[in-house]
Amino acid sequence: SGDGSPSTPGIDAAGVHAPSAPLLHDGGAMSPPGAPPQRRDRPARTVPSSLFTGAIFSGFKTIPEIPAMTCKDENIAPHTMPAQAFVYEPLQENVVTKFKNGDSERKIHNNIRLSESEVEHLQAMRAEAKVQGMEFYPSVTAMATRFLSRARLDPKKALRLMNETQEWRKEFFKDGPITDDQVMDDMKHGIVYFAGRDFALRPAIVIRANRIPQQWYKDKDIARFIRMLIFCMEYFLRYMVVPGRVENNVVIVDLKGLGISQVPLGPLGEVYKVMSQHYIGRVFKFYVVNMSSGLSMIAGMAKGFLTDRQKQKLNMLDDVSELRKEFAVSQLEQDLGGSRPEVKTFFPFDLLPGPFDAGYEGPPEADAVPNAHEILSHAGSMGRLWDPKLSAKDNTKFEYGHNALRTLERCNLPVPSELRYDGGGGVDFGMATTTTAEEELVAAKPEQIVAAVTTDQVDDLLGRTFQEEPEEKPVNDNVPSKEGQPAEQNASICGSFLCCSAAQ
């Protein structure tokens, strides 16, 4: 393609992957009978957490991840992840969106080949991070090119943005992760919830602004709203994405019944702030629906001030039926132009299986296999960024969860040979003990890591999820920034969400 970023190739019938396709990768298996013992067969010994400091993930030095969200198995919706997502091939326009003014924006960043220019600037960013002695959470390193895009390919500015998100996560989650129990009661209001996927399998977050309780305004308790939103985003990042294939979501903002003076600019402004600063590049589009006539008039005037990039992201719809151009009708509630009845149970999320084709009017699949979210481990859902020092296989491989093998088989998806060992009798040893060290590491609080981490896990983490830092090749630290102005933020309507939300 023009930017050197091919769309992700598929998987052939034999389960053989093209060199640039995401490869299914097992992080460790039990030894087959008669084979030399592998590290899973050795006794475990505890080691200090300092061993993890400086490990390399996506080309950056890391520190142990702190947990951000936990959700009990029974509260993970069965159709959180459709099996189709693992073989879906995104259109090139959904990988890198090009605009009329010649600008472009990458939407899919992980487990996929980057253009030469992107790799060059990413290498400069990595080199600058090394010079400054910067270390990040693995989840933040996997976002590096998103920060680079926001910084218009300025490595130093991108690192500054990256560090701001690092510090925000450190502060926001310092007292522990957001749990499903903490948001359960607030989710019952139906203010923020997932309710379907669009034709590109991007999950849709629905925000019903008129459902925010008046008492929350009186108490100025916007933190409850933000906590729900962040829980949804962390749930999305953990259970709803497939790196290289599905990495974005869409947001439907319903302003039904709200006049100009009633639009909750405070909460919606916080949506913009959180999404644009700390979940950069995750929202593919905002759809604003059911606007009052007065608000529609103001929105129409505001459109003239938006950049091409902002116009792509912010869609103010006069008729909810326009959403059918992006969604199967079974993925939308009736008041949003779809066929499904109004959602009454907001958590666990009331998600339906496909088909997901835009405009599809048939019913959801009756025999869709549930729990496909079990295929990827936490490291697998993070994905990795392209590193020229690594092979295409290492750059694009997946990391699997301990239920991956049987879930792939139930979904009738190709199972690569490295996930199983068939000793002639069809005995499967591939996923018997494959819970990853990284899974257990992110689930522990920092003070628990010393006692929790074993040498088996160190082998896993440093030898599989991370790589020992290779010898650096000379990198030009003075890569010039791409010309162009930062995304405009129109403040002429008192910081209205309608203008600022598209700037992210």
Side-chain angles (χ1 to χ4, degrees), residues 470-481:
E471 182 179 352
E472 284 285 340
K473 295 181 180 179
V475 177
N476 178 13
D477 289 335
N478 298 313
V479 179
S481 300

Side-chain angles (χ1 to χ4, degrees), residues 402-454:
H402 63 280
N403 288 329
L405 179 58
R406 53 181 170 267
T407 305
L408 286 167
E409 291 177 333
R410 286 192 299 108
C411 294
N412 198 28
L413 292 171
V415 179
S417 58
E418 58 263 38
L419 270 182
R420 70 164 85 241
Y421 171 77
D422 189 343
V427 180
D428 170 21
F429 298 94
M431 301 301 294
T433 57
T434 56
T435 301
T436 67
E438 196 271 348
E439 284 281 325
E440 297 182 20
L441 183 62
V442 298
K445 292 189 175 183
E447 64 269 20
Q448 297 172 323
I449 293 175
V450 172
V453 178
T454 68

Side-chain angles (χ1 to χ4, degrees), residues 353-375:
F356 301 98
D357 307 272
Y360 173 78
E361 296 183 355
E365 299 171 13
D367 57 351
V369 178
N371 300 323
H373 66 271
E374 296 181 346
I375 292 175

Side-chain angles (χ1 to χ4, degrees), residues 99-125:
F99 306 103
K100 294 179 181 179
N101 63 359
D103 193 10
S104 64
E105 182 182 11
R106 175 172 287 280
K107 304 291 188 177
I108 295 181
H109 294 252
N110 302 111
N111 293 48
I112 195 170
R113 188 182 297 274
L114 305 176
S115 70
E116 291 183 4
S117 175
E118 288 171 320
V119 170
E120 179 183 8
H121 288 85
L122 179 58
Q123 287 293 82
M125 191 176 173

Side-chain angles (χ1 to χ4, degrees), residues 46-62:
T46 57
V47 295
S49 61
S50 59
L51 273 178
F52 291 97
T53 301
I56 303 299
F57 191 81
S58 288
F60 294 88
K61 285 189 176 181
T62 62

Side-chain angles (χ1 to χ4, degrees), residues 19-20 58 109-114 119 122-123 126 384-388 390-393 395-396:
S20 61
S58 288
H109 294 252
N110 302 111
N111 293 48
I112 195 170
R113 188 182 297 274
L114 305 176
V119 170
L122 179 58
Q123 287 293 82
R126 288 162 169 158
R384 67 189 78 242
L385 293 175
W386 195 268
D387 189 338
L390 303 179
S391 67
K393 178 178 180 179
N395 271 304
T396 56

